[in-house]
Amino acid sequence: MPWHATILSLFPGMFPGPLEHSLAGRALKENRWSLDTVQIRDFATDKHRTVDDTPLGGGAGMVIKPDVMAAALDSVADATGQPDVRPRIYFSPRGRLLDQAFVRDLAAGPGAVMVCGRYEGLDQRVIDSHKLVEVSIGDYILAGGEMAALTTLDAVIRLLDGVMGKVESHENDSFETGLLEHPHYTQPRDWNGHLAPDVLLSGHHAQISDWRQMMAEADTKERRPDLWQKYLQKQGKSTD
Ligand code: ADE
């Protein structure tokens, strides 16, 4: 069984969407990962197929009903007749921030169940009772969890076995080392008067490696002081 995602959404037509193209699309055709979708609305019980209701206590927006989402989640858990050990993720701006360590853990497992909300949110009781891990992809508000699920899938799929050519290509990824990656250059050496750094043409591997490390550190320090502080702490260096 390849790495398998089950997506619960009111807009299942959004999947695989962009993941049908490029690296993920080829890997999907090669059965290195697979996907199925569940239409949350199929679990509504009234004749209007209602999935949401007004928030208790008042306020704007609508909240997805716990009974509807619980029925949708239970249908996934019961589908194979075997215990489903995949983590269940609920995408929400209230969640823990997605990072490369979380992506790596997901890719190392059997797959994920991904719950995409719309409206103001999902009744907290179903998040608690079904042990949903709340994940945010950043400090901004999306119209729903679908784009967050697509983003997470994109990050996971490139780590699956056989999806990317060279293993080294993710060992040096930004965040695997704790630093942003160094900048990249290709031919021509002189592009409209903008010269590529000489060291990259020197053929001197140790110097190139030192230069890349220096650039990675300088750029991380300038652009992402939060990552820089963490990096220093990990190296056991005092922070400056
Ligand atoms: N749903 C709405 N905004 C979101 C975000 N930033 N991350 C994950 N899911 C979301």
Side-chain angles (χ1 to χ4, degrees):
M1 180 79 170
W3 196 92
H4 186 66
T6 300
I7 314 286
L8 288 75
S9 168
L10 289 163
F11 301 97
M14 288 175 74
F15 298 88
L19 301 177
E20 217 163 16
H21 302 273
S22 188
L23 204 72
R26 196 184 61 211
L28 185 59
K29 283 201 197 85
E30 291 171 354
N31 206 32
R32 297 189 192 278
W33 69 286
S34 58
L35 170 87
D36 72 319
T37 56
V38 172
Q39 168 56 269
I40 297 165
R41 200 173 294 284
D42 289 347
F43 295 86
T45 50
D46 65 328
K47 72 171 194 281
H48 302 294
R49 307 223 301 156
T50 310
V51 295
D52 58 342
D53 206 339
T54 53
L56 288 179
M62 298 293 274
V63 178
I64 299 183
K65 289 157 62 67
D67 52 331
V68 175
M69 188 62 88
L73 281 164
D74 293 343
S75 81
V76 173
D78 296 343
T80 61
Q82 282 174 8
D84 189 341
V85 296
R86 292 175 297 167
R88 297 165 171 182
I89 297 171
Y90 169 54
F91 291 103
S92 148
R94 278 167 41 88
R96 54 155 292 169
L97 275 181
L98 184 71
D99 62 14
Q100 192 64 16
F102 190 87
V103 168
R104 221 185 298 122
D105 284 351
L106 269 185
V113 177
M114 298 183 166
V115 179
C116 305
R118 288 261 150 180
Y119 315 109
E120 287 308 295
L122 172 59
D123 189 299
Q124 185 63 38
R125 290 167 294 181
V126 77
I127 299 174
D128 297 339
S129 68
H130 285 67
K131 301 197 167 44
L132 305 184
V133 182
E134 287 186 80
V135 171
S136 165
I137 63 160
D139 292 339
Y140 39 80
I141 310 295
L142 303 169
E146 286 79 5
M147 302 297 278
L150 289 166
T151 300
T152 306
L153 286 170
D154 186 272
V156 167
I157 291 159
R158 62 186 286 282
L159 297 185
L160 300 176
D161 279 349
V163 173
M164 277 190 33
K166 282 204 205 155
V167 177
E168 300 96 314
S169 31
H170 25 85
E171 275 168 7
N172 289 331
D173 281 351
S174 298
F175 310 119
E176 296 289 354
T177 59
L179 294 171
L180 301 179
E181 241 190 315
H182 56 78
H184 300 271
Y185 297 86
T186 185
Q187 300 290 0
R189 191 182 83 84
D190 180 345
W191 175 65
N192 296 343
H194 304 280
L195 297 181
D198 279 339
V199 62
L200 300 180
L201 293 136
S202 67
H204 197 300
H205 295 299
Q207 276 179 20
I208 292 171
S209 175
D210 286 350
W211 179 85
R212 287 180 168 163
Q213 178 69 18
M214 183 195 71
M215 292 301 288
E217 291 185 5
D219 287 348
T220 304
K221 192 171 175 179
E222 183 189 316
R223 298 172 180 201
R224 291 292 303 273
D226 56 324
L227 288 182
W228 178 243
Q229 290 307 323
K230 263 198 231 161
Y231 176 76
L232 289 178
Q233 273 157 23
K234 232 168 97 186
Q235 310 276 306
K237 290 181 187 156
S238 67
T239 55
D240 61 49

